[in-house]
Amino acid sequence: MTKTLEFVFDPAGPNAYLAWKALPPILERIGATLVYRPVSLGGLFKLTGNRPPLVRYADSPAKWAYEQLEFERFIAAHRIPFRMNPVFPQNTLTLMRVAVACEEAGSLDTFVPTAMAAMWEQERDLGDPHVIATMLGEAGLDGLALLARAAEQDIKDTLVAHTEAAAARGVFGVPTFFVGDEMFWGKERLAQVEAMLALG
């Protein structure tokens, strides 16, 4: 029986990128398959009352400083090629609608590494449809066709449904992982994720 790890994601969050970059050795050790679950991070925040860390820790400089320290430690420990995007935060609603269009077309496995790298290695503005189209074209996808599909109501509705379904499972942010019905939030939980997969 193939072990499956569900990855609830939106590239808008840098921690989603960092966790994703750290996943391959875990998947290889366990022999697990990764399944992508695209959601709207902004939509999740609205549904669950969550807020991004920069806002959440605005009144606690010491807490925010420690979060940044752990962030840098994670990057160093996993040797991740991370570059803070100067356009941050970004509105990724169109991008995630494109993700759903790619999911429909069977090209989500191409979309995810392309979008992650564009956001957190190449410092691109993925709130700009022209940038999205160019990025997709460089990956061998039909960017204009995918953007057109992403603008159709059923794709928009599907992203909303994905996001609502995630919230109903208890998801409040990214990265979130599921091993069966067990939920794990945050890049700091990867050891727990691996341990649960190993029990499979």
Side-chain angles (χ1 to χ4, degrees), residues 4-171:
T4 300
L5 176 63
E6 297 179 67
F7 176 40
V8 181
F9 80 98
D10 179 335
N15 285 309
Y17 165 78
L18 296 182
W20 174 76
K21 290 292 285 187
L23 278 177
I26 294 173
L27 299 173
E28 184 176 349
R29 284 193 294 268
I30 301 298
T33 299
L34 186 64
V35 176
Y36 293 114
R37 303 295 188 204
V39 297
S40 164
L41 181 57
L44 274 179
F45 283 166
K46 289 178 182 178
L47 286 169
T48 64
N50 194 14
R51 297 177 298 165
L54 189 60
V55 176
R56 202 160 60 240
Y57 304 136
D59 296 327
S60 180
K63 172 65 173 172
W64 177 241
Y66 186 77
E67 287 290 315
Q68 292 299 102
L69 176 61
E70 285 296 300
F71 190 85
E72 294 299 331
R73 284 173 174 166
F74 191 94
I75 291 171
H78 295 276
R79 299 181 179 181
I80 295 173
F82 175 82
R83 293 166 66 178
M84 187 63 200
N85 198 312
V87 184
F88 180 79
Q90 292 190 18
N91 182 341
T92 55
L93 183 57
T94 297
L95 181 70
M96 295 315 292
R97 288 170 176 167
V98 169
V100 172
C102 286
E103 182 181 41
E104 175 188 70
S107 55
L108 198 53
D109 285 346
T110 299
F111 170 87
V112 174
T114 300
M116 291 289 196
M119 180 76 80
W120 300 114
E121 297 173 25
Q122 300 159 7
E123 302 179 5
R124 296 191 185 190
D125 180 0
L126 298 186
D128 184 335
H130 298 290
V131 175
I132 295 174
T134 299
M135 172 196 78
L136 295 171
E138 291 170 355
L141 301 175
D142 190 335
L144 293 179
L146 285 166
L147 278 168
R149 183 72 184 102
E152 295 179 12
Q153 191 60 47
D154 63 319
I155 291 292
K156 295 178 181 180
D157 292 344
T158 299
L159 179 60
V160 171
H162 282 356
T163 305
E164 290 177 343
R169 294 179 80 184
V171 178

